[in-house]
Amino acid sequence: SSGINAEYGVSTQSTGSFVTPTKVVVMVIAVLLALADTGYNIVANTSLGILFQADSEIGFMLLNGVMSLSTAAVFFASAFLSLYTLLVVEVVLCTAATIVIVMDLSGIERRREEG
């Protein structure tokens, strides 16, 4: 298997992981992932509210569709790709999405100032 095989409470020598999976490590990672997910959802919903002011239902429908498709894609890809590869892909896609959203929002702001 190409994924991480760390088990809770098992030493790193037997699993090959970098960090011994203890209760504190698992809880810290869970909190960090929850904060990242919450921040992403706040930014995505706010951006959609700004971008689709006239038809907000369409924007939120698109968000839910994309999130469902990406969840399914990651579920099937995780059998073939390592966690590190999936994380790199996530960082690249999130960075690209952030750049596109910022560029679009700055264009909206410029149009408001001009018109």
Side-chain angles (χ1 to χ4, degrees), residues 74-91:
V74 168
F75 176 77
F76 290 113
S78 65
F80 306 103
L81 301 174
S82 71
L83 175 63
Y84 300 115
T85 304
L86 291 172
L87 290 174
V88 168
V89 169
E90 179 184 13
V91 167

Side-chain angles (χ1 to χ4, degrees), residues 4-5 26 34-36 46 50 57 62 69 74 85 107 109:
I4 295 177
N5 295 321
V26 172
L35 288 173
T46 304
I50 292 170
E57 299 87 10
L62 289 172
L69 286 173
V74 168
T85 304
E109 190 65 31

